[in-house]
Amino acid sequence: MKAFNKIYLLGILTILTPLSPYGADNPLLFGLEEKWKPILEQFNQINSLESSFREKRYRPFKRIPTTLNGTLRIHPQAGISFLYTDPSFFLLHFHQGKLFRKKEDSDLEALDYPEVTTTMNWLSQIFAWNTDWLKDHVTASGEFKPDSNEWHLSLKPIVEAPASIDKIILYGSQVKLKEIHIFTAPRKRIEIKLRESTTNPNFSDNDIESFFPAFDQ
Amino acid sequence: MKFRYWIFSILLLISIGLSLHLFQTRPLETNVMELIPEGKNNPEVSLARKLVSSHQSKINYVVLSSPNSSITPKAVSTFASTLKENPSIASVYSPSDSVFLKDIGEELVQLRFSWMLPKWLNSHFPNWKEHPPDSDTLANKVVEELNTFLESPESFMWDELIPRDPFLLIPRQALDARSFIAPKHPQNQVFWIEQSPSPLEAKGQEPVFTAFNMALQNAKKHDPDLQLSFTGVGKFAHASEQNIRSEVTRLNLLAIIFVLFILIAWIRDIRILFKLSFVLLLSLFSAFSLTFIIFPNLHILSLVMGSLLIGVAVDYGLHRFLHFDTDNKFILWRPLLISACSSAGGFALLMLSPLPVVNQLGCFVAIGLITALIGASLLPPNSQNNGPPQKPRIHPFNFIPIPVALSITIALCLGTYFLSWQDNIKDLDYPVPELQNEHESVLSHFNQNLTSNPVLVIGESLVDTRKHLETILQELKNKSQVWSPAQFIPQFNEASKAHDLFKERPDFVPALKRELATSEYSVEAFDPFFNDYNEYSDATMNRDLFEQQIRSFAQSLPSFLQSMISTDNPIWMMAFVPENFKSASHEFIYPLAEVENLNRSFSQYRKDSGKIAVIAGITIVLLLPVVFQGRKGMISAFLLSINVLATLGTLSFVFHDLGLFHLIGILLGFCLCLDYLLFAVESTSNHRSLPVSVLVSMVTTAGVFGLLITSAIPAVQALGSSVVIMLLICLLLLITSFQNILTKKKPIFPGHG
């Protein structure tokens, strides 16, 4: 698995990279402009990530979002894990297409929630920038704000996704991917704001055991 | 004379034609449940029959696994979608697929207030009946719990429902149910697959297996290592039918070969052999066709046991064709008629038994014996020009002195002291251990809550039944150990009290609106909830309506759960309880394993059949002195009685516990031995030699029943061994000097002495 913070460098690389000579039919791009290409190529060099985050869940029946805080971890073999620490404490681990949850003082449980599992799968494909998968499932369009270093990249499903994902928008600024917005229905979205991040951290065996409990080493 | 041949030929052709027609147009019954009666007065039988005919019997338990890794979701979806397109498959459910929970949920949404508010109150306000909470407290609890729920990943599944259900009644119930249904090994994929045709029919067997295989092949395109294992009633029924069919063929073929071999060895007259063969054919085909007409659901097992007819039906031809005097007159009409009528009558008596398999067996053999007698009577002995009939080649052995024979017989009779009875309906099944192992292996992948220790809770009405189920729930301190779809249903009195509580709180709606607004919810988004709630609180709760709601819910359950609540007589609710669970209310609770075994009911049938057998036996024994004029009759009755006692004793020594089919074997043996004793006594009292036909018949009959001992079906084994033992003891009695009593110590076989 490739890494989440491949996107992390997207901003600065975009700024540093002029229009490139690469061909428009390069599979890395699948519809993006040529200027994205050097950035996306850099993704391959990044394997893992650790970042604190704030997640906001917007629902049509609530005037303000439900807010959760925690730490996101990505490991090339062990998958993605979301450790929620506030206001509730639990860990979600997505590994090999299956979703698991670990609560404090309880056993690891497999979750069979198609909506959540599908969303996790989409996130894992995006973080890995799996172009084979992406070109079959999404169309991409990006935009750079001319007067700032901010950008966003919008991914829209080609076919209807089981989790009713309307679109996923990645927001970044310079070297950082700042936010991921997942739109699943009108007036319903999840915003994940990344805060302090470490690229390619060295996960110890204990870390892997703790944060990726469904991964069998 | 030719007229007789014509009649015989016409009868034979009609019986063959009719048999072939019936065999092609009607399937033979293979369902073991058809071997037991309707059970109108027997709740266990009634329950078992209903279970077998329910959706439950159509459910196949299927496991997909991949030895080296988790199965790819694409392979799983391909497997499921291929099956859904197959006409043999009615539905495909997986515990990993929440579709079925939503199916239940749709119905429950309509019933959520009356059914789930009692549970909600119990969990949040355990003393709500004594100290009912006020509206503000209730509203605060609803919103507090809703806030917490929205932080969980499962909340995404229920977002659309929440404006109709801020109490979270449906999500909580569904998630509780899911925790009991979730598979044991999440790395494998398990399915409940309901097939359309009955698993007991041919189209519900191989076409279904083919559908599974096709789905597997398609799924393998995405996961080449995929492996499939499954179990279901159809798989067992198919294997059992195949095995029984091959056993019917084997036993009948061996029986015919054996009988012909004995006849050729002893009779050595090709014309007699031909006549005997035709008599046998007439007997078998007429028995098959007439029994099939009388019993449209003729069970294949009856034919397995019916193969013994070959050994018995040959007797009359033997007597008829071998015993006539120099005037070519048949000399044994009286014993032949008495024996044929008593045997046929004995077997016909089995039709009074409450067990269909015994009825069919009795009818099959009785018709076969009568037609064998008619056939043998229609065909004449060999013509006068062919010389005297075959001389007996075997002489009776009367060298065993009476004291020795008496000692042996009495010793055998002593075995009756150890006589005990134990019945097991599994004796009727063809054992398929390899399938049983696979069955257990497949079920081990499913959540144990749904595969082990099921019990049926029985009641007069659905409301009463739910009350009885509550007894189990209360008895188990840890309620997570018990699961039943009926747990969705509250007890009527609780539902009624909860309804009263909310009805008496008109200020609950404004209180909840306030709380929702305080927590920044869009209150107007919850209008669907408030509309439904007002309807609920304004309505009247009554028992009839509640009963109707349960019926409607039961019918909405997915197929694999539908048999868990039976809404028609007998009414039951199925529950899964811990091992060794004993309830104080055992009168309302039937462990399903016990129902399936039906051993208690089977014992009752054995007792009923035993009563018929004893009455018939005593009647025959008492009639013997009358029909056979005193001394001969008394001796026959004595020998017959001691034969039965010694057989019972020997069987007790050999098998320890005897069952229904030992009893039937003894009844059959009684009829057969009566024949032989009558012929022996008649011949001996007339100072004639023991007819060779008796000895040949005994050997052929013992041989045919001996073949039954090789059957894999325990019931058939029991029947065969009982008859063989009885025949052997009869032979012991015949070859000893017991007969000397008849002739007052005169040489009994002067012609050969």
Side-chain angles (χ1 to χ4, degrees), chain A residues 157-198:
Chain A
I158 294 170
V159 291
E160 192 180 344
S164 305
I165 295 172
D166 281 346
K167 63 182 171 186
I168 295 179
I169 303 179
L170 312 175
Y171 291 90
S173 175
Q174 293 191 347
V175 296
K176 280 195 172 181
L177 173 72
K178 288 163 66 179
E179 292 187 30
I180 304 163
H181 293 192
I182 304 163
F183 296 79
T184 55
R187 298 175 60 209
K188 187 177 166 186
R189 71 180 186 276
I190 303 164
E191 294 179 1
I192 302 170
K193 186 173 187 176
L194 300 177
R195 302 163 92 178
E196 294 172 14
S197 303
T198 308

Side-chain angles (χ1 to χ4, degrees), chain A residues 39-124:
Chain A
I39 303 162
L40 303 181
E41 280 187 333
Q42 294 299 315
F43 289 0
N44 290 325
Q45 296 173 14
I46 302 158
N47 292 315
S48 52
L49 173 76
E50 186 170 46
S51 174
S52 58
F53 70 91
R54 169 167 292 170
E55 181 178 320
K56 289 185 176 179
R57 297 175 183 172
Y58 292 86
R59 287 159 157 126
F61 52 82
K62 209 157 186 300
R63 288 200 294 266
I64 60 166
T66 308
T67 304
L68 300 97
N69 295 301
T71 306
L72 164 71
R73 292 178 179 83
I74 298 174
H75 184 277
Q77 283 83 42
I80 305 176
S81 95
F82 286 82
L83 176 66
Y84 293 90
T85 51
D86 175 56
S88 307
F89 190 94
F90 63 93
L91 181 128
L92 287 183
H93 178 201
F94 182 74
H95 177 57
Q96 291 191 340
K98 291 189 182 291
L99 184 65
F100 301 87
R101 172 169 55 193
K102 178 95 171 67
K103 288 182 184 171
E104 262 186 320
D105 303 325
S106 64
D107 292 335
L108 184 70
E109 57 175 330
L111 300 181
D112 301 317
Y113 309 140
E115 287 88 345
V116 190
T117 306
T118 304
T119 306
M120 283 290 206
N121 186 43
W122 278 63
L123 286 177
S124 73

Side-chain angles (χ1 to χ4, degrees), chain B residues 362-605:
Chain B
C363 180
F364 185 86
V365 179
I367 291 172
L369 292 184
I370 294 296
T371 47
L373 177 67
I374 293 169
S377 307
L378 285 172
L379 295 180
N382 290 345
S383 68
Q384 289 174 322
N385 297 335
N386 292 326
Q390 184 73 36
K391 292 282 184 190
R393 290 176 183 275
I394 296 175
H395 293 271
F397 309 103
N398 58 347
F399 56 82
I400 301 177
I402 288 178
V404 174
L406 198 60
S407 304
I408 294 171
T409 316
I410 288 173
L412 293 175
C413 289
L414 288 177
T416 52
Y417 177 77
F418 305 103
L419 183 62
S420 71
W421 298 92
Q422 191 167 2
D423 293 282
N424 190 346
I425 196 169
K426 299 277 180 201
D427 287 350
L428 286 168
D429 264 338
Y430 196 102
V432 273
E434 65 283 5
L435 285 193
Q436 190 58 39
N437 291 340
E438 189 179 9
H439 175 76
E440 282 162 18
S441 162
V442 168
L443 290 192
S444 71
H445 289 81
F446 284 76
N447 193 308
Q448 278 189 324
N449 292 301
L450 287 180
T451 55
S452 60
N453 307 312
V455 296
L456 297 181
V457 184
I458 312 293
E460 290 289 315
S461 67
L462 288 162
V463 169
D464 287 345
T465 308
R466 177 62 185 85
K467 198 172 164 187
H468 300 324
L469 176 67
E470 191 62 22
T471 312
I472 299 183
L473 297 172
Q474 295 299 334
E475 284 177 19
L476 285 164
K477 286 178 188 167
N478 180 2
K479 289 189 181 179
S480 65
Q481 290 179 305
V482 59
W483 188 80
S484 166
Q487 279 173 283
F488 288 119
I489 307 164
Q491 291 196 82
F492 173 68
N493 62 343
E494 288 220 328
S496 184
K497 279 182 186 165
H499 180 254
D500 291 345
L501 184 145
F502 284 98
K503 193 166 191 168
E504 289 160 5
R505 279 161 182 70
D507 55 341
F508 172 70
V509 169
L512 183 57
K513 284 184 176 177
R514 272 197 310 277
E515 283 291 337
L516 287 169
T518 306
S519 290
E520 300 291 348
Y521 287 91
S522 304
V523 177
E524 62 279 10
F526 290 85
D527 282 347
F529 163 76
F530 289 116
N531 292 338
D532 291 350
Y533 175 82
N534 288 334
E535 205 173 302
Y536 159 74
S537 58
D538 290 345
T540 307
M541 176 82 70
N542 68 62
R543 191 183 163 108
D544 289 343
L545 177 69
F546 198 74
E547 189 100 4
Q548 187 50 44
Q549 286 176 348
I550 300 176
R551 279 179 205 286
S552 170
F553 168 70
Q555 282 156 15
S556 75
L557 286 171
S559 54
F560 66 95
L561 292 177
Q562 266 193 9
S563 59
M564 295 195 180
I565 299 178
S566 162
T567 55
D568 299 316
N569 275 330
I571 290 170
W572 77 61
M573 291 177 181
M574 197 185 288
F576 298 86
V577 296
E579 275 185 45
N580 306 319
F581 170 69
K582 298 280 180 207
S583 172
S585 304
H586 50 82
E587 68 270 31
F588 303 117
I589 296 166
Y590 288 88
L592 198 58
E594 203 169 300
V595 172
E596 282 175 344
N597 285 337
L598 294 168
N599 295 339
R600 219 167 26 207
S601 309
F602 219 47
S603 292
Q604 190 55 49
Y605 298 136

Side-chain angles (χ1 to χ4, degrees), chain B residues 629-663:
Chain B
Q629 299 146 14
R631 187 179 176 79
K632 283 192 289 182
M634 300 259 300
I635 294 296
S636 304
F638 170 72
L639 291 175
L640 198 55
S641 307
I642 205 167
N643 195 349
V644 171
L645 284 176
T647 304
L648 272 172
T650 311
L651 286 170
S652 300
F653 278 132
V654 177
F655 293 102
H656 306 296
D657 293 322
L658 306 188
L660 173 66
F661 287 88
H662 290 107
L663 181 73

Side-chain angles (χ1 to χ4, degrees), chain B residues 44-57:
Chain B
E44 280 179 10
V45 173
S46 212
L47 288 173
R49 291 188 75 89
K50 190 164 178 183
L51 266 176
V52 166
S53 60
S54 71
H55 279 277
Q56 195 71 22
S57 68

